[in-house]
Amino acid sequence: MLQKSYSEGVGAGFPLTQNIRYQLAKNRVDDLFIKWLTLPQNQKLVHQLIKDVREGKQNNLITQPNAFFTNKMTMSGMSQSALLSSPNKKSLGPSTPPRADSFHETKSRIPEDLSQSLTQSQIIQKKLHVEEVQNYDLIPQFYFPTQEINLQLQQEQNKIINEIFGKAEQIDASHFEQITTNLCGLCKYLTRILMTAVEGTGNKISKTAFIKYWNQQLAQKEPKQRCFHILKKPKNDYIQFDDFKPFMKILLEYHPGLEFLQATPEFQERYADTVIHRIFYHLCRKDNNRITWRDFKSSNLFDILDILGKEDDINKIRQYFSYEHFYVIYCKFWELDGDHDFHISKEDFSRYSSHGLSRKVVDRIFDQIPRRFRSQIDQKMSYEDFIYFIICEEDKTTIQSIEYWFKVIDLDDNGIITGFEMDYFYEELKQRMDYLNHEPILFHDFVCQMVDLLHPENDILFKLSHFKQNLTVCGVFFNFLTNLNKLIAYENRDPFQVRNDIVDHPDFTDWDRFAYQEYVRLAMEEENQEQGEVFEGDNIWDNEDSKQ
């Protein structure tokens, strides 16, 4: 069945689909013409044409086609009447390919002196074209297929650049910081990173080099894309671990909340590594040392960096950068690392949480079932491995943690946790509770409680999707099977105390609460040790006085 056609307007007599295509093509041509008209050289050409018309000068570009263009049409076998014929007329027969003319015939059709047919405006156009070819590298991009250019925004950006640079050709980092924050919308601690990307050095930057880099790399990007682009290596489309080290070096040198670490370079390095590992834990979902643009875009790292540039108290930035959190992680690792070679053996690791983890869980972790160790020493856990473990252990509300512990419990690696696997891990904890004369929890009661929390389709068949749909209760499930201390603490918990903790810190995650409590405990222990040393010192002085 034939489609209906328009009875009026442009394209009457054409099918509906052809009219739609015509309108779309017309809109596209109009859009490209407007973009073409915004170029300075084209505006100059139009003004010259208008001037020629007003002065009564003959203009071959308007009155008749250019001779060279006409000859080109003739060479292709097309007559001027054919070009001007109505598009509604259908050809009587199949079109034939254009005949290839000989070299002499082609040469005879080109006018001997093409410049005689050119007006002043055409000569200007050709000169501008030559200049454009010569200065091709200096012309900024004016057409963006995926993004419409905002001329007003572009003017505001140029105004900011001119105001900050002023008449100076080069400025230092302290002045360029305004470019980083006001123009690029980035954290101020990325200033020297940006300067290095432009000039290769973080000391001074020239206006010409920055404008070129800005137009080519950053102008048409959003602030979050600019941040990702600056942090990664130019040849890569992802961020690696080492890409954060220059940023962390600058942060440790200039952030007011980290000045006290400047006297201890060793702790500076440990703090930087801890922060980067925490970033990769949350952003690098594939755990392959690569943060892609998709990972970066869906994370909150850019917002945290923005807060980092405005907040002087580093401990108020709990995500990634808190020094208190680093202190807790480092002290926990140091307590387990008996020989202080910065590697933990299985026996050292079993002492974590006062031997709270079951032996079966420790064996599974050191068999590298949930995650392969990054340590270069066999059967040794490195500091990076410990950071990943402790965050998974103390905050079982993240996807990474759930996947980690699911692999520990899933003995046959079939993606399902069965009653047999649950009983296998719970049996050891039950024996330890009997040894401690603690009233054991019946396995049947535990299973019923987990079924009520996770709602599996089939009883005692728990899939990973069940845990991802109930993130807040996953910790109860895995703690009952892996950690005796947390199992007993959950059974003896005070509901009112739990509620008060949530009310006092409603924005705290499980990891934030753990780090806060551990930091308070470590601070009190350190304070008691200092008081003990002072007390012993007083006794010494008292003894000396008694001798006299």
Side-chain angles (χ1 to χ4, degrees):
M1 182 176 180
L2 296 176
Q3 293 176 314
K4 294 182 179 180
S5 61
Y6 287 108
S7 58
E8 296 179 355
V10 179
F14 281 93
L16 178 60
T17 54
Q18 293 186 15
N19 274 278
I20 294 175
R21 291 174 182 173
Y22 170 80
Q23 291 295 335
L24 293 175
K26 182 178 180 301
N27 293 337
R28 186 60 176 165
V29 171
D30 292 342
D31 183 49
L32 292 175
F33 174 72
I34 292 174
K35 294 181 184 298
W36 176 87
L37 196 59
T38 58
L39 294 177
Q41 58 266 35
N42 295 336
Q43 293 178 0
K44 188 174 181 180
L45 173 63
V46 171
H47 286 304
Q48 183 62 42
L49 290 173
I50 295 174
K51 183 179 179 181
D52 291 345
V53 172
R54 288 177 177 175
E55 295 177 356
K57 295 181 180 180
Q58 184 179 3
N59 196 312
N60 294 334
L61 188 63
I62 298 177
T63 57
Q64 62 182 7
N66 184 274
F68 182 74
F69 178 69
T70 305
N71 286 328
K72 280 291 184 182
M73 292 189 298
T74 307
M75 285 187 290
S76 63
M78 299 174 63
S79 63
Q80 188 172 358
S81 60
L83 287 173
L84 300 177
S85 60
S86 173
N88 293 335
K89 295 181 180 180
K90 297 182 179 180
S91 59
L92 299 177
S95 60
T96 58
R99 179 173 56 87
D101 298 322
S102 64
F103 172 76
H104 297 288
E105 291 176 343
T106 304
K107 183 177 180 181
S108 64
R109 291 174 182 171
I110 300 177
E112 295 179 358
D113 189 4
L114 184 61
S115 62
Q116 294 179 357
S117 62
L118 297 178
T119 62
Q120 184 178 0
S121 60
Q122 290 173 300
I123 294 174
I124 293 175
Q125 184 182 17
K126 287 186 174 296
K127 289 182 178 180
L128 290 173
H129 176 70
V130 173
E131 293 177 359
E132 180 181 352
V133 173
Q134 293 175 349
N135 302 324
Y136 177 78
D137 295 335
L138 302 179
I139 298 176
Q141 183 180 0
F142 66 90
Y143 173 60
F144 305 91
T146 59
Q147 183 176 356
E148 293 294 332
I149 187 169
N150 190 331
L151 297 179
Q152 182 178 0
L153 178 61
Q154 193 177 56
Q155 292 176 356
E156 294 176 357
Q157 293 171 348
N158 293 333
K159 182 179 179 181
I160 294 174
I161 295 174
N162 293 329
E163 287 179 352
I164 295 175
F165 275 92
K167 296 182 180 180
E169 178 58 26
Q170 288 186 335
I171 58 176
D172 56 14
S174 60
H175 293 87
F176 188 73
E177 183 179 304
Q178 301 178 51
I179 293 283
T180 307
T181 56
N182 299 338
L183 179 65
C184 301
L186 302 176
C187 168
K188 66 180 181 180
Y189 296 109
L190 288 169
T191 298
R192 295 181 183 272
I193 305 295
L194 178 57
M195 294 176 67
T196 304
V198 177
E199 288 279 15
T201 177
N203 298 326
K204 286 193 174 183
I205 185 170
S206 66
K207 182 178 181 180
T208 304
F210 172 72
I211 291 177
K212 181 179 179 181
Y213 185 85
W214 169 259
N215 291 331
Q216 293 178 353
Q217 304 292 340
L218 303 180
Q220 299 305 316
K221 290 183 173 66
E222 297 179 352
K224 184 176 285 191
Q225 289 178 293
R226 294 168 189 163
C227 182
F228 179 81
H229 180 82
I230 293 171
L231 287 173
K232 71 179 182 65
K233 294 183 179 68
K235 63 180 181 179
N236 296 337
D237 56 355
Y238 49 83
I239 300 175
Q240 293 180 303
F241 184 89
D242 293 339
D243 295 337
F244 280 104
K245 287 189 174 181
F247 171 77
M248 292 304 303
K249 183 179 179 181
I250 295 171
L251 183 68
L252 285 163
E253 184 176 355
Y254 294 100
H255 196 283
L258 297 172
E259 289 181 355
F260 66 96
L261 282 177
Q262 293 181 1
T264 55
E266 180 182 356
F267 281 97
Q268 283 186 326
E269 182 181 355
R270 299 305 178 195
Y271 170 79
D273 290 344
T274 304
V275 170
I276 300 174
H277 286 312
R278 290 185 65 188
I279 291 174
F280 271 82
Y281 171 85
H282 289 282
L283 271 67
C284 186
R285 291 295 311 280
K286 294 183 179 180
D287 197 19
N288 58 355
N289 192 33
R290 293 183 178 184
I291 297 177
T292 63
W293 164 240
R294 181 178 181 181
D295 300 329
F296 189 88
K297 180 175 63 174
S298 60
S299 71
N300 64 346
L301 179 59
F302 178 78
D303 299 325
I304 298 300
L305 291 177
D306 183 62
I307 299 174
L308 184 66
K310 302 173 183 177
E311 179 58 59
D312 292 341
D313 188 354
I314 197 70
N315 291 317
K316 289 184 178 180
I317 309 173
R318 297 190 305 276
Q319 291 181 298
Y320 315 124
F321 294 96
S322 171
Y323 178 81
E324 293 180 353
H325 291 192
F326 153 73
Y327 186 79
V328 169
I329 295 174
Y330 187 82
C331 288
K332 284 286 186 181
F333 182 84
W334 190 258
E335 290 173 357
L336 300 178
D337 186 15
D339 53 3
H340 302 310
D341 62 347
F342 236 69
H343 287 84
I344 297 176
S345 65
K346 183 186 291 187
E347 292 301 321
D348 294 334
F349 181 75
S350 64
R351 293 188 286 108
Y352 180 81
S353 186
S354 301
H355 297 273
L357 296 173
S358 67
R359 173 58 63 175
K360 294 177 181 178
V361 170
V362 173
D363 291 340
R364 294 279 289 176
I365 292 175
F366 269 77
D367 288 340
Q368 305 180 38
I369 301 299
R371 183 177 185 265
R372 186 171 297 277
F373 286 172
R374 301 299 189 266
S375 173
Q376 302 298 324
I377 304 176
D378 188 34
Q379 288 299 306
K380 291 279 189 175
M381 175 182 282
S382 66
Y383 183 59
E384 176 186 353
D385 301 322
F386 181 77
I387 293 174
Y388 198 97
F389 159 77
I390 193 173
I391 299 177
C392 288
E393 167 62 13
E394 304 303 339
D395 187 0
K396 295 185 174 70
T397 61
T398 63
I399 300 296
Q400 296 88 331
S401 176
I402 292 172
E403 293 176 350
Y404 185 94
W405 290 109
F406 189 91
K407 293 176 182 177
V408 171
I409 306 300
D410 187 13
L411 295 175
D412 52 5
D413 193 24
N414 65 345
I416 299 175
I417 295 178
T418 63
F420 168 78
E421 292 165 331
M422 295 168 63
D423 183 62
Y424 173 79
F425 286 95
Y426 185 74
E427 180 184 7
E428 180 180 346
L429 299 185
K430 182 177 179 299
Q431 292 176 357
R432 293 177 64 180
M433 284 190 289
D434 292 338
Y435 179 79
L436 296 173
N437 294 324
H438 190 281
E439 182 180 358
I441 303 170
L442 297 178
F443 179 72
H444 176 75
D445 295 339
F446 162 66
V447 172
C448 291
Q449 187 176 1
M450 295 302 103
V451 170
D452 293 339
L453 288 175
L454 298 174
H455 308 290
E457 294 83 2
N458 299 318
D459 290 347
I460 323 182
L461 290 178
F462 298 94
K463 299 179 181 179
L464 185 61
S465 58
H466 298 143
F467 296 95
K468 291 183 177 180
Q469 294 171 3
N470 301 275
L471 295 176
T472 56
V473 299
C474 295
V476 179
F477 181 93
F478 292 116
N479 288 337
F480 262 74
L481 301 177
T482 60
N483 195 312
L484 177 63
N485 295 336
K486 292 186 177 181
L487 187 156
I488 296 176
Y490 181 80
E491 287 297 311
N492 298 331
R493 72 190 184 282
D494 183 1
F496 296 101
Q497 182 62 38
V498 174
R499 181 182 177 183
N500 291 336
D501 292 340
I502 297 175
V503 172
D504 293 341
H505 305 286
D507 57 337
F508 273 28
T509 63
D510 288 354
W511 167 257
D512 294 333
R513 293 189 179 89
F514 164 78
Y516 174 77
Q517 294 170 0
E518 283 298 311
Y519 184 80
V520 171
R521 181 185 66 82
L522 292 170
M524 291 180 62
E525 289 181 357
E526 184 175 354
E527 183 179 355
N528 292 335
Q529 290 177 0
E530 292 177 355
Q531 290 179 354
E533 292 175 359
V534 172
F535 182 75
E536 292 175 0
D538 291 340
N539 287 340
I540 294 174
W541 286 109
D542 292 340
N543 293 334
E544 292 291 332
D545 292 338
S546 62
K547 290 180 181 179
Q548 293 177 356

